[in-house]
Amino acid sequence: MHLAYLDAGSGSLIVQAVVGGVAGAAVAAKLYWRRLVARFRRQPTDQH
């Protein structure tokens, strides 16, 4: 059995790391959105 104590500073650090990671992922997705969408978008097919 392991006992751990997280004070307010440790909890705040963890929350900031999670929020920063989500914000970083959102900025990266916004920057590369067109590239990501282009990969999954179907190419138009010629039906002549």
Side-chain angles (χ1 to χ4, degrees), residues 2-46:
H2 297 285
L3 297 176
Y5 173 74
L6 293 176
D7 62 350
S10 299
S12 175
L13 181 69
I14 292 168
V15 170
Q16 286 180 18
V18 170
V19 171
V22 170
V27 169
K30 182 177 170 111
L31 290 174
Y32 294 106
W33 182 251
R34 290 186 187 203
R35 290 184 189 175
L36 290 171
V37 171
R39 285 193 178 187
F40 296 108
R41 183 173 291 160
R42 291 184 186 181
Q43 298 296 328
T45 57
D46 249 353

